[in-house]
Amino acid sequence: ALALQCRDAGTVDTAGDLTIFGQAARQAVRWPSKVLRSQAPPFRVRYRDEPGQDSGGVYRDFLDTIADELMSPQLQVLIRSPNQTANIGEHRDAWLLNPALDVSPGS
């Protein structure tokens, strides 16, 4: 619900509290690194107050949502490439890491 409200209001989630990505990142930071190196899906997805058994569909929906959020104005993690912005040249479908991000420890 928070992620939808954030998107619909056009709010930027600077604290990472509103988007699905931000909520998941807060949980994932506590996992041992070996969890993400597994051959199997490293976690199961369950949306609060939504029925659904994770047989792969909810997991895929989660990954799709995260990808959409990373390229949205709500997170500003990835930004459009100059060619995408100007709609010229090659690689117009490319995204770049936002150079304005603060990636220092604890940020």
Side-chain angles (χ1 to χ4, degrees):
L2 290 174
L4 292 175
Q5 292 171 0
C6 177
R7 186 193 67 205
D8 292 345
T11 305
V12 176
D13 186 15
T14 55
D17 295 329
L18 305 174
T19 58
I20 300 284
F21 176 82
Q23 294 172 45
R26 287 184 183 274
Q27 291 183 28
V29 75
R30 297 184 300 235
W31 300 342
S33 60
K34 68 179 182 178
V35 169
L36 297 174
R37 289 189 225 125
S38 170
Q39 293 290 329
F43 52 87
R44 297 181 69 86
V45 175
R46 186 180 72 229
Y47 292 126
R48 184 180 300 154
D49 298 329
E50 288 191 29
Q53 184 70 25
D54 188 5
S55 300
V58 177
Y59 185 79
R60 281 191 303 275
D61 177 68
F62 168 78
L63 294 177
D64 286 345
T65 301
I66 296 254
D68 288 343
E69 286 180 352
L70 287 171
M71 296 180 280
S72 77
Q74 282 66 52
L75 277 178
Q76 300 178 348
V77 173
L78 298 175
I79 59 172
R80 297 175 186 274
S81 68
N83 285 4
Q84 187 181 131
T85 302
N87 197 27
I88 59 170
E90 297 179 350
H91 308 295
R92 284 183 256 173
D93 58 343
W95 294 78
L96 305 169
L97 282 174
N98 187 345
L101 288 177
D102 180 4
V103 293
S104 59
S107 64

